[in-house]
């Protein structure tokens, strides 16, 4: 199969003696320094002043790295040449040019722009710069190394030494077959994202692959092999060790210590690419393999979500399978070249046909499994066209009847959307683009084609266009990851319920009867014993009707389901009670309806808006929200244990009209504050940052704020105090899919306590229904106040993840000792607890005193 035999005579034979043990030991020690130097520089970089610009820090790290590497490597090179150690010279030369290559690579990465928050990839300009710049460095240093190794100054001979010869087709087919085997786990556990993002990933992978393969499998391997024609195994081993020693250098600059993980796959990966060069006499098959090998995990996983592999077991299995498969394949390729190829007597045509059949079989299997068990195709990002005119809803506050109030808001919103969207809809239809109009926010969602956004930005009545990132589906979803184990046996009233004194409200006969709660989340296991009795979609005779009671913004389920666990857990805290001792909810006799606004725990502006629009006027399954919505089916209060960060496409204002409209309609929106504490100004994501919602921080079982609970103020003009209130949110026991129970922390768990509290108050005094200002004031004034007087810099806005390990431990173990006031809001209210921790009994007493005549 190899074409190397045809051209081997064009390069003179050079057989240097194998270095003695002492010289080899010196080589290995120098190689060890190549590994340790970047780690040492990384440690020193941590000590640089935090106030320095990123570019200055990166440049200092690069200078340190270059000095630490090039001085000893140049000394080793001079020693080998001046001491007349001919056997050591190729190794010393290879180490010197590798040190120069590392310095060039680090310099090109210095001051690189932050990754795009949507795709978590370097900007295209930086990627192209690395591709072109580092490829040039690889060719320049590689050519110098090959010439210095003694290869004649002839372009054809130099090209052959690099491995640039045209490879046999059978060799490329072997590389493709190998790729099908080692990457088969990714389409079975992930999915492709946006086609443009996929192209960026391929370019990014090529920018990493091409220069490295040209340099290490081309120049370094070629230079050493040229001098040890009779010891090719030794040459390959030395090149492999040098490549492994290069890998830690990727942590500089930027201190990306995660790059050290690449050492795990470096050996089998390098063996395969080396074997492909030996098999084909060319580096191109290895480049093809390395390119797709690096791109596949990025193509099939969502780069926006940087979660430890342990939280994604199926993709962890794919990654481990890829590593194990690469190791096995490396052994098979080596064994095949050593033992099978010498006995292979088939013609080149026959060899090509056989490898083609094998490759087609493996890729057919790959594609077939993807089609049967995965989600073939791209899941493209769309965009939103937001109209300038939004409905004027100010007159709604003068209507006392809750249903009539909702109807007015609903009709005004639809009227405004219908009047202003017509030209844009016509333009979209003419362009052949699929779209879905909204009225809660006067906007239109366009499916896919986000590269065409600018075409519609200047249409009459359009305020702006913005990206609406898609969320790709995964074939498997890992349920309940991160939830603490708990028994299913009833434990009576949970500690968090008792801490709010909700059970004392029950004893007075108020359990939420007559109130409907809405929840939008990852979905809900409606058949869970703690949730099923309260689901509005099932009547007392056991007849089930999901119309007007369930909506999936991702169009994947006509009945409530939850393939994550988060939604089921939050709904349980609001109302859960299985009648068998699992009293996990605040208001056990309310009814609930649900909407799935997240897929895999992620949403986008359109999915969040779609669920809020459904709650204003629920409609039947498959119905038209503009014509089939019915406000008489609306819930009274809605729990929102979610936030929309920039990686999901939200900016500070995009959801504001929706929240304002729901408030105008009298639907109370209770929102979790977020888990980005303990820094100040960490209530930063919509909708928690809005004044139109009631934001909730999290306390522990001692009533003290948790370290993760986000703090205010929201940096508006003037600053907005947040959160509004606090409630238990530290390892709360609640329902999870499958009829089970588990513990979970978060402000996501705190918010449902307040949702349940609103249901209790409105059940006890129906005059309060829809009167959000009065209800919020009752909850504020009845809360157990918690003063915070310690001063701290409002600019200290680090999240828990940004603290050092010791700071995290201290914050988690001594949560209340480090609490500061976050600005001038000392005493009560403050930007930590808001008005304090909820007290259901005290709130009920104030609610019972309220009447229409007391307004």
């Amino acid at each position: 199969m190899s074409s190397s035999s045809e051209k081997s005579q064009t390069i003179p034979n050079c057989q240097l003696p194998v270095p003695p043990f002492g010289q080899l030991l010196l080589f290995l020690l120098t190689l060890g320094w190549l590994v340790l130097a970047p780690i040492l520089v990384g440690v020193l970089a941590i000590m640089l002043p935090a106030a320095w610009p990123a570019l200055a820090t990166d440049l200092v790290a690069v200078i340190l790295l270059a000095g630490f590497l090039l001085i000893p490597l140049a000394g080793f090179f001079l020693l080998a040449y001046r001491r007349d150690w001919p056997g050591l010279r190729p190794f010393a030369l290879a180490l010197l040019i590798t040190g120069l290559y590392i310095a060039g690579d680090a310099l090109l990465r210095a001051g690189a722009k932050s990754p795009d928050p949507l795709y978590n990839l370097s900007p295209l300009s930086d990627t192209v710069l690395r591709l072109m710049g580092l490829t040039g460095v690889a060719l320049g240093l590689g050519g110098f190394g090959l010439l210095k190794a003694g290869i004649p100054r002839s372009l054809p001979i130099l090209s052959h030494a690099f491995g640039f010869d045209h490879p046999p087709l059978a060799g490329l087919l072997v590389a493709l077959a190998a790729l099908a085997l080692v990457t088969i786990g990714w389409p079975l556990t992930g999915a492709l994202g946006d086609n443009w993002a996929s192209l960026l990933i391929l370019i990014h992978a090529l920018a990493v692959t091409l220069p490295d393969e040209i340099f290490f499998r081309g120049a370094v391997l070629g230079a050493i092999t040229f001098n040890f024609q009779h010891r090719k195994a030794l040459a390959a081993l030395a090149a492999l060790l040098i490549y492994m020693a290069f890998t830690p250098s990727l942590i500089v600059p930027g201190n990306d210590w995660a790059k050290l993980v690449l050492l795990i796959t470096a050996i089998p990966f390098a063996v395969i690419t080396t074997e492909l060069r030996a098999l084909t006499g060319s580096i191109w098959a290895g480049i093809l393999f390395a390119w797709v090998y690096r791109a596949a995990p990025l193509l099939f996983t969502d780069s926006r979500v940087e979660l430890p592999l342990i939280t994604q077991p199926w993709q962890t299995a794919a990654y481990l399978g890829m590593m194990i498969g690469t190791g096995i394949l490396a052994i098979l390729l080596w064994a095949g070249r050593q033992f099978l190829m010498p006995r292979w007597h088939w013609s080149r045509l026959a060899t090509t046909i056989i490898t083609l059949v094998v490759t087609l079989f493996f890729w057919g299997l790959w594609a077939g499994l993807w089609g049967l068990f995965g989600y073939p195709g791209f899941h493209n990002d769309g965009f939103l066209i937001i109209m300038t005119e939004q409905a004027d809803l100010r007159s709604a506050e003068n209507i006392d009847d809750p249903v009539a109030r909702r109807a007015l808001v609903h009709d005004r919103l639809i009227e405004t959307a219908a009047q202003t969207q017509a030209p844009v809809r016509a333009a979209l239809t003419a362009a052949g683009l699929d779209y879905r109009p909204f009225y809660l926010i006067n906007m239109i969602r366009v499916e896919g084609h986000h590269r065409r956004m600018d075409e519609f930005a200047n249409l009459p009545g359009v305020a702006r266009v913005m990206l609406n990132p898609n969320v790709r589906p995964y074939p498997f979803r890992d349920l309940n990851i991160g939830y603490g184990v708990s028994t299913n046996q009833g434990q009576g009233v949970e500690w968090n319920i008792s801490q709010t004194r909700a059970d004392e409200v029950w004893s007075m006969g108020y359990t939420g009867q007559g109130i409907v709660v809405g929840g939008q989340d990852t979905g809900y296991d409606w058949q869970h014993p703690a949730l099923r009795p309260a689901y509005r979609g099932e009547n007392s005779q056991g007849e089930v009707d999901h119309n007007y009671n369930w909506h999936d913004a991702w169009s994947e389920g006509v009945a409530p389901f939850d393939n994550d666990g988060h939604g089921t857990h939050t709904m349980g805290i609001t109302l859960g009670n299985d009648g068998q001792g699992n009293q996990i909810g605040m208001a056990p006799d309310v009814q609930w309806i649900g909407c799935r606004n997240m897929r895999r725990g992620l949403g986008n502006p359109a999915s969040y808006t779609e669920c809020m629009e459904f709650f204003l006027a629920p409609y039947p399954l498959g119905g038209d929200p503009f014509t089939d919505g019915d406000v008489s089916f609306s819930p009274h209060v809605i729990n929102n244990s979610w936030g929309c960060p920039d990686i999901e496409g939200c900016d500070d204002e995009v959801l504001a009209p929706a929240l304002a409209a729901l408030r105008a309609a009298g639907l109370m929106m209770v929102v979790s504050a977020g888990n980005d504490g303990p820094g100040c100004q960490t209530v930063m994501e919509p909708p928690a940052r809005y004044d139109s919602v009631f934001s909730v921080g999290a306390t522990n079982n001692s009533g003290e704020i948790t370290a993760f609970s986000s703090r205010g103020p929201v940096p508006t003009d003037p600053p907005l105090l947040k959160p509004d209130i606090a409630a238990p949110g530290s390892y709360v026991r609640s329902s999870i899919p499958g009829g089970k129970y588990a513990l979970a922390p978060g402000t996501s768990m705190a918010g449902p306590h307040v949702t349940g509290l609103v249901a209790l108050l409105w059940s006890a005094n129906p005059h309060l229904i829809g009167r959000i200002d009065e209800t919020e004031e009752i909850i504020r004034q009845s809360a157990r106040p918690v003063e915070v007087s310690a001063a701290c810099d409002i600019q200290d806005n680090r999240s828990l993840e940004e603290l050092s390990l010791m700071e995290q431990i201290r914050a988690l173990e001594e949560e209340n000792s480090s609490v500061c006031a976050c600005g001038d809001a000392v005493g009560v209210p403050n930007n930590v607890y808001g008005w304090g921790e909820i007290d259901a009994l005290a709130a009920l007493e104030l609610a019972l005193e309220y009447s229409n005549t007391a307004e």
Side-chain angles (χ1 to χ4, degrees):
M1 187 184 299
S2 174
S3 62
S4 60
S5 59
E6 299 174 5
K7 299 187 178 182
S8 60
Q9 299 305 315
T10 63
I11 298 181
N13 245 354
C14 183
Q15 298 186 8
L16 296 179
V18 175
F21 176 76
Q23 293 179 20
L24 286 176
L25 182 60
L26 184 59
F27 164 70
L28 292 175
L29 290 174
T30 309
L31 197 67
W33 176 246
L34 198 67
V35 174
L36 291 176
I39 297 174
L40 179 59
V41 171
V43 172
L44 292 175
I46 296 174
M47 304 176 186
L48 296 175
W52 281 15
L55 179 59
T57 302
D58 286 356
L59 288 176
V60 169
V62 171
I63 292 170
L64 286 173
L65 180 64
F68 282 9
L69 285 180
L70 297 181
I71 293 174
L73 291 181
F76 180 54
F77 173 79
L78 293 174
L79 181 66
Y81 275 77
R82 291 187 177 180
R83 281 292 190 98
D84 195 23
W85 293 346
L88 192 61
R89 288 175 184 172
F91 301 107
L93 174 63
L95 285 178
L96 178 61
I97 62 173
T98 298
L100 291 167
Y101 181 80
I102 289 172
D105 181 20
L107 183 61
L108 285 171
R109 288 185 286 111
K113 299 181 181 68
S114 298
D116 180 276
L118 181 61
Y119 301 130
N120 198 27
L121 292 171
S122 300
L124 181 59
S125 58
D126 286 359
T127 301
V128 172
L129 175 64
R130 186 182 194 277
L131 174 61
M132 298 178 65
L134 198 58
T135 300
V137 171
L139 289 170
L141 289 175
F144 167 78
L146 290 170
L147 293 174
K148 189 68 176 177
I151 291 178
R153 293 178 179 272
S154 165
L155 187 58
I157 296 177
L158 196 61
S159 175
H160 178 65
F162 258 117
F164 289 156
D165 296 334
H166 180 71
L169 178 59
L172 294 175
L173 292 172
V174 168
L176 285 171
L179 284 167
L181 288 173
V182 299
T183 63
I184 198 167
W186 294 113
L188 299 180
T189 59
L192 292 173
D194 183 77
N195 53 14
W196 172 250
S198 298
L199 177 60
L200 294 179
I201 287 170
L202 288 172
I203 296 172
H204 173 80
L206 185 63
V208 174
T209 298
L210 185 62
D212 285 0
E213 290 303 307
I214 288 174
F215 185 76
F216 289 103
R217 249 66 68 188
V220 172
L221 180 60
I224 300 177
T225 303
F226 171 74
N227 287 283
F228 293 99
Q229 298 284 340
H230 59 308
R231 292 287 190 271
K232 290 185 178 181
L234 175 64
L237 177 60
L240 174 64
L241 292 175
I242 290 172
Y243 176 72
M244 287 186 61
F246 154 78
T247 304
S249 70
L250 298 175
I251 68 176
V252 179
N255 276 13
D256 188 359
W257 296 95
K259 289 291 193 298
L260 291 176
V261 176
L262 296 175
L263 282 169
I264 300 174
T265 57
I267 295 178
F269 170 80
V271 168
I272 287 179
T273 51
T274 301
E275 285 298 322
L276 286 172
R277 171 164 185 178
L279 194 66
T280 65
S282 165
I283 64 172
W284 295 113
I287 288 174
L288 174 63
F289 178 87
W291 182 29
V292 179
Y293 181 91
R294 287 193 168 104
L298 299 175
L299 288 169
F300 284 92
T301 56
D302 198 334
S303 58
R304 296 177 298 168
V305 187
E306 294 181 294
L307 294 176
L309 283 174
I310 193 64
T311 67
Q312 305 171 68
W314 287 106
Q315 292 190 346
T316 302
Y319 190 72
L320 291 175
M322 188 174 182
M323 290 193 296
I324 294 171
T326 303
I328 294 173
L329 189 61
I331 295 172
L332 290 176
L333 281 176
W334 175 83
R337 190 173 61 83
Q338 293 292 323
F339 305 109
L340 179 61
M341 292 306 297
R343 298 171 175 80
W344 189 267
H345 302 298
W346 294 80
S347 68
R348 175 172 293 188
L349 177 61
T351 300
T352 302
I353 293 173
I354 291 171
T355 52
L356 177 61
V357 170
V358 172
T359 301
L360 289 175
F361 171 78
F362 283 132
W363 277 104
L365 178 66
W366 193 99
L369 291 174
W370 190 21
L372 285 173
F373 302 108
Y375 289 93
F378 294 103
H379 297 86
N380 291 324
D381 296 327
F383 62 97
L384 301 174
I385 303 174
I386 301 176
M387 308 303 294
T388 302
E389 184 177 349
Q390 301 293 327
D392 184 353
L393 306 174
R394 287 173 292 182
S395 60
E397 63 186 22
N398 299 321
I399 301 177
D400 290 330
D401 180 70
V403 177
R405 184 177 177 180
R406 292 177 219 151
L408 174 80
V409 170
H410 174 256
D411 293 345
R412 287 274 176 85
L413 290 167
I414 288 182
E415 180 183 2
T416 302
Q419 290 176 350
T420 58
Q421 291 181 8
V424 180
R425 294 192 200 181
L428 290 169
T429 301
L433 300 181
D434 294 330
Y435 63 90
R436 194 275 201 196
F438 291 91
Y439 63 81
L440 189 66
I441 301 175
N442 190 6
M443 72 179 187
I444 301 172
R445 179 187 72 205
V446 183
E447 308 293 348
H449 304 286
H450 69 92
R451 303 288 293 173
R452 300 183 64 178
M453 285 195 300
D454 292 344
E455 295 178 26
F456 305 92
N458 296 319
L459 292 179
V462 173
R464 59 175 174 146
V465 294
M466 63 182 295
L467 192 68
N468 186 56
N470 200 354
V471 180
R472 68 188 81 177
Y474 282 173
F476 300 98
R477 180 65 181 155
D478 306 305
L479 284 172
N480 313 323
I481 297 300
Y483 290 79
V485 178
S486 177
T487 176
N488 289 347
Q489 185 176 356
Q491 299 179 18
V493 178
E494 292 293 330
W495 70 267
N496 49 298
I497 304 299
S498 298
Q499 186 163 302
T500 67
R501 301 174 72 188
D503 53 332
E504 298 180 52
V505 174
W506 306 342
S507 66
M508 299 174 66
Y510 305 114
T511 53
Q513 56 269 47
I515 301 300
V516 178
V517 168
Q520 55 172 329
D521 212 291
T522 60
Y524 303 95
D525 178 8
W526 74 275
Q527 298 185 77
H528 192 290
L531 304 186
R532 185 166 187 166
Y535 177 49
R536 194 177 69 180
E538 183 177 32
N539 62 26
S540 57
Q541 286 75 44
E543 298 170 336
V544 177
D545 185 359
H546 300 303
N547 291 297
Y548 302 98
N549 301 310
W550 165 254
H551 180 71
D552 183 0
W554 298 98
S555 302
E556 293 179 340
V558 296
F561 73 101
D562 183 5
N563 60 355
D564 181 283
H566 187 269
T568 301
H569 198 274
T570 59
M571 188 64 79
I573 298 168
T574 301
L575 51 84
N577 186 1
D578 67 351
Q580 303 296 319
N582 282 297
Q583 296 174 278
I584 57 175
M586 290 284 293
D589 286 331
V590 303
Q591 289 185 305
W592 67 271
I593 65 173
C595 185
R596 181 172 176 253
N597 63 9
M598 288 181 280
R599 173 195 274 169
R600 295 181 22 247
L602 297 169
N604 57 37
S607 70
Y608 294 129
T609 302
E610 187 167 329
C611 278
M612 289 187 280
E613 191 170 272
F614 171 76
F615 285 137
L616 176 61
Y619 45 90
L621 298 172
D624 183 340
F626 276 75
T627 58
D628 299 331
D630 189 337
V631 296
S632 66
F633 288 102
S634 300
H636 298 96
V637 57
I638 302 166
N639 186 71
N640 301 272
S641 293
W642 55 273
C644 186
D646 56 359
I647 64 169
E648 296 182 13
C650 281
D651 58 22
D652 291 347
E653 300 302 327
V654 62
L655 297 180
L659 278 301
L662 291 178
R663 189 179 183 97
L667 303 186
M668 184 162 176
M669 299 289 282
V670 178
V671 178
S672 299
N675 303 319
D676 295 312
C680 301
Q681 293 186 335
T682 47
V683 180
M684 52 190 173
E685 296 170 357
R689 62 178 288 118
Y690 297 149
D691 192 28
S692 56
V693 306
F694 206 50
S695 304
V696 187
T699 56
N700 61 22
N701 57 7
S702 299
E704 300 168 345
I705 202 71
T706 60
F708 57 76
S709 185
S710 292
R711 273 73 156 166
V714 178
T716 53
D717 186 19
L720 178 64
L721 186 140
K722 286 286 179 176
D724 297 286
I725 207 74
S730 179
Y731 294 98
V732 175
R733 181 175 179 269
S734 187
S735 47
I736 56 173
K740 301 176 183 179
Y741 297 84
L743 306 172
T747 58
S748 287
M749 286 70 230
H753 289 86
V754 179
T755 303
L757 173 57
V758 173
L760 292 175
L761 300 182
W762 287 4
S763 174
N765 187 349
H767 290 301
L768 283 168
I769 293 176
R771 300 181 183 273
I772 299 174
D773 290 343
E774 293 86 343
T775 302
E776 290 178 342
E777 187 63 17
I778 286 171
I779 296 173
R780 292 189 189 106
Q781 295 302 323
S782 61
R784 290 187 288 270
V786 184
E787 293 189 359
V788 179
S789 57
C792 70
D793 186 356
I794 200 169
Q795 298 303 319
D796 181 13
N797 58 353
R798 294 177 297 168
S799 67
L800 190 62
E801 290 79 8
E802 294 174 303
L803 299 177
S804 69
L805 179 60
M806 292 308 297
E807 287 175 322
Q808 288 188 41
I809 294 172
R810 192 179 305 114
L812 292 170
E813 290 182 347
E814 304 177 17
E815 289 176 330
N816 207 43
S817 63
S818 60
V819 172
C820 64
C822 287
D824 298 330
V826 296
V828 177
N830 54 66
N831 287 302
V832 179
Y833 294 89
W835 287 80
E837 187 180 45
I838 61 169
D839 185 328
L841 184 60
L844 177 70
E845 292 170 351
L846 289 181
L848 292 175
E849 296 174 1
Y850 176 86
S851 67
N852 284 334
T853 58
E855 295 180 22

